[in-house]
Amino acid sequence: VTLRLGVIGCGRAAALAIGRAWPDAPEVTVTALASRDRERARAFAAAHRLDGARIAGVPEEVLGEDVDAVYLGLPGELHEAWTLRALAAGKSVLAEKPLALDAAAGARIALARARTELAVLEGVMIQHHPWAARIAALCAAAEGAHALRTTICFSIPEGRRTGRVLEDVAPYWLWLVSRSAPLDAAVVRAHRRGDDVEVTLEVGDRVTATLQASHARPYRATHVIEHARGALALPDLFRANLGPQRLAIDRDGVREWISGRSAFAHQLSAFATLCRGPARARAEALDASLARLRVVDAIRARWTPDPPADTMPP
Ligand SMILES: NC(=O)c1ccc[n+]([C@@H]2O[C@H](COP(=O)([O-])OP(=O)(O)OC[C@H]3O[C@@H](n4cnc5c(N)ncnc54)[C@H](OP(=O)(O)O)[C@@H]3O)[C@@H](O)[C@H]2O)c1
């Protein structure tokens, strides 16, 4: 029996996370699609061969008997309200990242979720590719102090930039950091200027993690882990967004390839498993998002202007 999924918001993220991914995720059936404009939902269904899906003209209509769970492809400021609404209707939630705009909103979601035992998963799709398990194993085997350097730049057209570059990339970044140490992070530096940010954290007692991120600079998404005995590099974090991909891990000068479906197809399968699996896994999935939101709050409390722009990628 597949998980019956309703989609709320037929925008760019939904096209990737659902439209292109569902054919490679047999555990999920898309049974309903909502847009505020019914024609847009119809066009989404036609573009992605979702002919059997019920078309809803208002998002509330998705929360029907033919839906077990919803995907929220909505702007970040709507995630909390729609997650709470879906939980109240007895539906599990796969929400685009960021799950919420701050830790207080995340805590309200956690409270509501705990009453239902349903799943709430933040869409950090890279964590579900087989690549992730390999990274976790390599990080666990690395010894001594680590320096983590992450660069995530999305070249977003000026009119579409939200001004929330930290919130946009932190779910990915902090998920990577949490492979190396638990997220009890102290903020060392947090610079922001326009659509560029640069942050340094001390994580636990042996990891220093630096993020350089931008909504204005050419695409780049790399993560490098340096430790006493060598280095590990992930040359393109989002390479598996569009379809089945082999992803590279460079370790001490040797390149290893890990094959998989698209990260979004793995995410749909993982979400179906989470909905049906042990309650404890559902609690842990949300705890991980809350830990990331707390770090984002701590960074925001420490912003200073004027990053040293000469150290940013071009
Ligand atoms: N995982 C990824 O790779 C990835 C990529 C891009 C974005 N994202 C995340 O996905 C989320 C959406 O981003 P996006 O780029 O997809 O934005 P988008 O293209 O603007 O799509 C957002 C959709 O939300 C719906 N919407 C907007 N305002 C609404 C409202 N007031 N009430 C109900 N529905 C509303 C709209 O759907 P209708 O017009 O159809 O109603 C719109 O198509 C963001 O949180 C972003 O961070 C993730």
Side-chain angles (χ1 to χ4, degrees):
V1 181
T2 62
L3 182 78
R4 298 171 307 163
L5 190 68
V7 172
I8 301 182
C10 294
R12 281 174 290 269
L16 290 169
I18 305 296
R20 292 180 75 131
W22 74 264
D24 296 320
E27 302 86 345
V28 170
T29 305
V30 177
T31 51
L33 288 169
S35 169
R36 290 164 302 170
D37 173 348
R38 207 177 278 272
E39 277 317 306
R40 204 154 43 233
R42 278 204 189 95
F44 187 94
H48 301 292
R49 290 170 289 128
L50 287 164
D51 314 327
R54 173 169 63 82
I55 302 296
V58 286
E60 287 83 352
E61 281 176 20
V62 157
L63 305 172
E65 286 295 314
D66 57 348
V67 158
D68 304 312
V70 295
Y71 163 80
L72 302 180
L74 301 169
E77 59 270 25
L78 298 178
H79 293 176
E80 178 192 359
W82 276 102
T83 299
L84 295 178
R85 238 175 254 184
L87 288 173
K91 314 298 180 192
S92 286
V93 178
L94 170 59
E96 264 309 331
K97 55 82 208 170
L99 173 66
L101 294 188
D102 58 28
R108 290 189 287 273
I109 291 173
L111 199 63
R113 194 213 68 83
R115 287 194 211 108
T116 66
E117 286 292 336
L118 293 163
V120 175
L121 180 65
E122 183 182 23
V124 181
M125 68 289 179
I126 59 173
Q127 69 182 312
H128 305 294
H129 194 278
W131 193 51
R134 184 72 182 126
I135 294 163
L138 292 172
C139 289
E143 288 169 13
H146 291 38
L148 311 183
R149 285 185 284 106
T150 312
T151 302
I152 303 180
C153 299
F154 294 121
S155 164
I156 296 180
E158 215 167 322
R160 284 212 282 114
R161 291 181 204 152
T162 57
R164 290 201 295 254
V165 60
L166 174 71
E167 292 79 354
D168 188 26
V169 307
Y172 305 123
W173 173 47
L174 294 174
W175 175 79
L176 287 162
V177 173
S178 69
R179 300 306 87 193
S180 292
L183 279 185
D184 55 340
V187 182
V188 178
R189 296 185 320 134
H191 292 289
R192 176 177 61 170
R193 188 168 63 191
D195 291 302
D196 295 347
V197 301
E198 192 168 307
V199 181
T200 302
L201 303 177
E202 271 166 13
V203 191
D205 56 5
R206 62 189 187 101
V207 172
T208 304
T210 304
L211 169 73
Q212 291 185 313
S214 175
H215 272 171
R217 294 171 191 263
Y219 174 75
R220 183 164 159 205
T222 60
H223 183 63
V224 177
I225 303 165
E226 285 167 351
H227 60 99
R229 304 230 317 257
L232 181 73
L234 310 176
D236 187 352
L237 300 171
F238 303 116
R239 188 180 152 92
N241 272 8
L242 298 181
Q245 280 292 344
R246 290 193 316 154
L247 295 189
I249 300 176
D250 295 328
R251 186 163 53 124
D252 307 335
V254 177
R255 177 160 281 200
E256 177 183 347
W257 291 99
I258 311 278
S259 298
R261 296 174 277 156
S262 80
F264 291 110
H266 283 291
Q267 173 170 269
L268 284 177
S269 301
F271 180 56
T273 301
L274 188 70
C275 289
R276 303 231 155 106
R280 193 194 152 114
R282 288 192 285 279
E284 286 172 0
L286 192 50
D287 284 350
S289 291
L290 296 185
R292 293 191 288 263
L293 285 169
R294 284 192 292 271
V295 176
V296 170
D297 276 8
I299 294 167
R300 274 198 299 241
R302 291 284 302 275
W303 281 134
T304 58
D306 297 332
D310 53 338
T311 69
M312 289 289 283

